[in-house]
């Protein structure tokens, strides 16, 4: 590192991966606490000879080798560090002062200094005492994704057949020539990596991802007893809630239920994009809810939340991130937390390519409210998108049930019927799932419109209830 590069680093200040330390004869205890926290988080650099305010004071040139030896001796002492973290040292001569840079990579273990676990939060070294937080650190350092955990005693009978058929319908709507459509259920599950085999132990079977995506509520409760998503509206009663929806079902239905809840509570200000009317609200809700369900650590008992208040919509969910801090378009590196679940959502049209969600949230938040969103990653991922000024109130005089029905009908009467007409003109036949996906409403809403059109004689239904399709009469 050159002196100019050092000055550039100092200008950035202390942060999650950068620390300044004054150094006398030998490093003090707080230097080793930072080494421990960097190894437990994402790694970082300690600049010995730089004060907290960024002033370069340097280290004693005559004993710099002794300082390096002292760090090596302390970190390798099993009575002090367990296990020993790796580090490298670099001397940076500014011409006037000598700065010693200690670079610590993120390690594969959970490290302890003097029998205490330290984690890095912003620019501070935090003592971790809670067992659940330490367990989360172990989980963060595991090389295998928890969604791939195999449950050999879960069978296809534990999956909902209607969800499997619905998966085929959604894939067909997105791509009529998709290769999964030619596969039977067993081979489709293997192609989607929902049925896996551990190459080390030979154990094989359905995975946690398959249970969450397609399982019955009973098997989901057995496998993930703490899994739950709380959706709250806090406009008048900010201490509790004005309205609430608790979701603990499969991820396909959970997506629909959370989306319908958010649509009913968020103002829908249509905007023009390339001379085409779009609903920024719908796009924002889609990205936030997809992220809430896809990039979530389901083995963590932390309850995911979606909260709508007078300022906007915010979500928070357990994460498994090496990076901690603000997520911006300039420096974010998309990293899949559950690549199998994310891939499945992409195939059924519930999500796009990795990284596009963050870009969409930034883009449409500006169009929606004229303000920037706030995204923060860490052990808990947090997102916030503001609402337009003066548009946070949605009528509180109606009852919760009537409000949901009225908003749902007001937003979907014309658009759903128009969507049905367009899909029939393009494809000849449609299903309720296809209409729901295209119109961004629940399947129940789509079915209500299809039933009304059938009763009026404009369209007719063909097939059994699970495979029922509609065509022009």
């Amino acid at each position: 590192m050159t002196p100019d590069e050092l000055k550039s680093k100092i200008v950035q200040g202390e942060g999650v991966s950068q620390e300044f330390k004054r150094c006398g004869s030998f490093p003090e205890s707080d230097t080793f606490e930072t080494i421990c926290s960097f190894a437990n988080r994402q790694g970082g650099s300690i600049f010995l000879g730089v004060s907290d305010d960024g002033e370069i004071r340097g280290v004693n040139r005559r004993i710099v080798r002794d300082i390096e030896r002292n760090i090596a001796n302390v970190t390798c002492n099993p009575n002090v560090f367990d296990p020993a973290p790796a580090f490298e040292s670099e001397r940076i001569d500014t011409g006037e002062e000598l700065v010693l840079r200690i670079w610590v990579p993120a390690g594969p273990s959970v490290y302890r200094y003097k029998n205490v676990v330290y984690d890095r939060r912003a620019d501070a070294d935090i003592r971790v005492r809670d067992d659940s937080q330490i367990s989360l650190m172990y989980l963060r350092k595991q090389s295998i994704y928890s969604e791939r955990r195999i449950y050999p005693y879960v069978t296809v009978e534990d999956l909902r057949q209607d969800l499997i058929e619905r998966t085929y319908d959604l894939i067909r709507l997105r791509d009529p020539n998709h290769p999964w459509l030619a596969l039977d259920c067993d081979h489709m599950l293997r192609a989607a990596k929902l049925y896996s085999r551990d190459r080390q132990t030979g154990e094989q079977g359905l995975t946690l991802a398959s249970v969450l995506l397609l399982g019955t509520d009973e098997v989901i409760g057995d496998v993930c007893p703490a899994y739950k998503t709380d959706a709250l509206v806090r406009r008048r009663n900010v201490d509790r809630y004005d309205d609430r929806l608790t979701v603990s079902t499969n991820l396909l239905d959970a997506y629909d239920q959370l989306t319908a809840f958010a649509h009913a509570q968020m103002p829908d200000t249509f905007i023009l994009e390339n001379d085409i009317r779009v609903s920024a609200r719908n796009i924002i809700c889609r990205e936030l809810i997809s992220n809430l369900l896809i990039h979530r650590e389901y083995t963590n008992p932390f309850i995911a939340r979606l909260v709508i208040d007078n300022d906007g919509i915010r979500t928070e969910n357990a994460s498994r991130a090496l990076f901690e801090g603000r997520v911006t378009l300039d420096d974010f590196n998309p990293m899949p937390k559950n690549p199998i679940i994310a891939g499945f959502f992409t195939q059924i049209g519930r999500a796009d390519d990795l990284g596009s969600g963050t870009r969409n949230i930034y883009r449409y938040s500006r169009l929606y409210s004229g303000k920037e969103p706030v995204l923060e990653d860490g052990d808990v991922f947090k997102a916030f998108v503001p609402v337009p000024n003066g548009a946070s109130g949605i009528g509180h005089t109606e009852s919760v049930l009537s409000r949901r029905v009225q908003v749902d009908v007001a937003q979907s009467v014309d658009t759903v019927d128009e969507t049905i007409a367009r899909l029939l003109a393009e494809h000849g036949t449609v299903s309720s799932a296809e209409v729901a996906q295209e119109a961004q409403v629940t399947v129940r809403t789509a079915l209500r419109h299809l039933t009304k059109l059938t009763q009026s004689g404009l369209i007719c239904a063909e097939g059994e209830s699970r495979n029922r399709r509609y065509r022009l009469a």
Side-chain angles (χ1 to χ4, degrees), residues 22-90:
R22 297 178 61 178
C23 184
S25 298
F26 292 105
E28 298 182 4
S29 180
D30 59 348
T31 297
F32 297 105
E33 293 173 1
T34 302
I35 290 175
C36 182
S37 70
F38 278 176
N40 280 331
R41 179 55 65 170
Q42 66 183 50
S45 294
I46 304 171
F47 294 95
L48 296 181
V50 180
S51 62
D52 290 342
D53 60 3
E55 181 183 356
I56 298 177
R57 301 192 174 211
V59 298
N60 191 329
R61 294 176 183 271
R62 292 177 298 176
I63 62 171
V64 64
R65 185 180 295 275
D66 294 331
I67 294 174
E68 292 172 330
R69 286 175 178 169
N70 174 260
I71 296 174
N73 290 336
V74 172
T75 55
C76 292
N77 186 342
N79 295 321
V80 180
F81 268 96
D82 181 29
F87 80 94
E88 293 180 6
S89 63
E90 178 186 11

Side-chain angles (χ1 to χ4, degrees), residues 71 97 173 256 282 288 298 357 395 466 473:
I71 296 174
E97 303 290 350
L173 178 64
D256 288 341
N282 289 3
L288 289 177
Y298 283 94
R466 287 185 177 180

Side-chain angles (χ1 to χ4, degrees), residues 243-258:
D243 196 2
R244 182 181 187 182
L245 173 68
T246 300
V247 178
S248 57
T249 189
N250 65 85
L251 300 189
L252 274 69
D253 286 342
Y255 176 91
D256 288 341
Q257 293 176 23
L258 291 170

